[in-house]
Amino acid sequence: MNENSLKKTLSKLNIGDVRYFDSIGSTNDEALAWAATGARDLSIIIADEQTQGRGRLNRKWFTPKGSALAFSLILRPSAALRPHLSRTVGLATLSIADSCSKLGLVPLIKWPNDILLNGKKTAGILIETVWSGEDIDSLVIGMGINVYKTSVPPTELLQFPATSIEDQLGKKMPEREEILKSVLNAFIHWRERMATDEFIDVWEGALSFRGEQVQIHAESEAPIIGELNGLESDGSLRLHDIHDKSIIVRFGDVSLRPTA
Ligand code: BT5
């Protein structure tokens, strides 16, 4: 991946400005600063390597040089999309899932923010907000995708098994830029449909563990256990407990695990 070919590839897409770094702390940090100083809608920061890549709750996200896709998109929501911003994590996960499907893979979304291939984490999303007083000015959508085998961190550093597109594809790999282009195309496609019922239906259809017993862990609370049933219209997760009562899990720093 290099700046010229990347910019050439992305110039065919209807996005904002592009900033590329060989190495960066975190693309989300750079994007938050850029968004706060007026970056255009759908501007993107992309780096070949991150030295301070972040997950949620300041967990680490590993992006070794030459191995992965790590980028942050800046979203300036239109008035029409503002009531649906809680669906943004669905927009991001669906876009990555779509591009994996186009490669012939079978991705599933581990709600809220992971993409699994063969039950293992291949990509994660970190969404952060730039506020303007009480209003949302913009959202920064960070996406980390394990493309080549070398992007997968050692098992002892992980709480959940991880894999890469190359591990799962097992044949000649497309260039990282091609995968990025495909994710951005899917993002543009789904953003236009974000307010529709179709969006929720497709997102729900891509969820991992549907119909299975799962546990949801949130900070300092007892785990919630139930059968994963589907999504509410705002993208919250719906479980059924053993008394067949619905439990709605809102977004937040929750993690989902199968109970088995
Ligand atoms: C995430 O957090 O999964 C969000 C990851 C977002 C990364 C992107 S890269 C571009 C942008 N810039 C950033 O600085 N961040 C975003 P979470 O659900 O909290 O998962 C974090 C956990 O995933 C860590 O505690 C590790 O166990 C595991 N992990 C770290 N690196 C990984 C990797 N490359 N592949 C799979 N798992 C990983």
Side-chain angles (χ1 to χ4, degrees):
M1 189 156 67
N2 72 59
E3 183 162 10
N4 284 341
S5 67
L6 182 74
K7 287 191 168 166
K8 203 169 149 211
T9 307
L10 298 187
S11 68
K12 293 168 198 131
L13 299 181
N14 196 8
I15 60 172
D17 298 313
V18 179
R19 288 186 182 169
Y20 169 81
F21 294 80
D22 284 329
S23 182
I24 200 171
S26 153
T27 57
N28 260 39
D29 289 343
E30 193 74 23
L32 286 168
W34 192 13
T37 53
R40 288 201 294 148
D41 182 45
L42 284 190
S43 289
I44 177 170
I45 305 249
I46 175 159
D48 187 41
E49 172 191 47
Q50 290 189 117
T51 55
Q52 306 284 332
R54 295 188 283 113
R56 296 173 303 158
L57 289 176
N58 274 331
R59 289 187 283 252
K60 283 190 197 318
W61 182 261
F62 298 91
T63 313
K65 208 168 187 42
S67 69
L69 280 169
F71 59 94
S72 302
L73 277 171
I74 295 167
L75 205 75
R76 294 207 171 273
S78 63
L81 277 193
R82 281 182 182 271
H84 305 286
L85 288 185
S86 63
R87 298 180 174 191
T88 308
V89 71
L91 173 64
T93 47
L94 261 186
S95 305
I96 297 176
D98 257 20
S99 66
C100 290
S101 299
K102 291 208 174 83
L103 294 173
L105 296 164
V106 186
L108 288 173
I109 295 170
K110 183 161 87 69
W111 188 93
N113 71 317
D114 296 344
I115 292 86
L116 308 182
L117 290 175
N118 205 8
K120 297 175 183 173
K121 181 160 172 170
T122 311
I125 309 288
L126 175 67
I127 300 180
E128 296 181 292
T129 307
V130 178
W131 294 94
S132 168
E134 308 250 294
D135 295 326
I136 291 178
D137 171 82
S138 46
L139 295 178
V140 165
I141 305 171
M143 305 199 199
I145 308 174
N146 296 339
V147 178
Y148 297 116
K149 290 171 192 267
T150 46
S151 59
V152 180
T155 322
E156 60 272 20
L157 297 178
L158 300 172
Q159 288 122 19
F160 195 87
T163 189
S164 66
I165 292 178
E166 185 182 22
D167 277 321
Q168 299 302 319
L169 208 54
K171 61 178 185 196
K172 201 170 176 301
M173 284 287 295
E175 294 288 322
R176 277 182 290 168
E177 285 160 31
E178 287 308 312
I179 298 175
L180 174 65
K181 192 169 127 191
S182 162
V183 173
L184 294 177
N185 270 325
F187 192 94
I188 290 165
H189 171 91
W190 284 116
R191 183 162 82 151
E192 283 164 10
R193 290 157 183 79
M194 207 168 145
T196 64
D197 292 343
E198 179 204 1
F199 181 91
I200 288 286
D201 290 347
V202 175
W203 182 8
E204 188 174 72
L207 291 182
S208 184
F209 308 117
R210 265 185 102 191
E212 293 177 32
Q213 287 281 119
V214 297
Q215 326 180 7
I216 306 279
H217 295 261
E219 283 288 286
S220 69
E221 282 171 32
I224 301 168
I225 298 178
E227 184 185 300
L228 197 155
N229 183 254
L231 293 173
E232 296 289 286
S233 74
D234 66 352
S236 300
L237 192 68
R238 190 174 56 247
L239 306 183
H240 280 167
D241 71 8
I242 45 167
H243 310 295
D244 213 25
K245 200 175 116 232
S246 282
I247 308 169
I248 308 302
V249 185
R250 314 247 165 241
F251 296 102
D253 288 306
V254 295
S255 66
L256 183 155
R257 298 279 183 272
T259 47

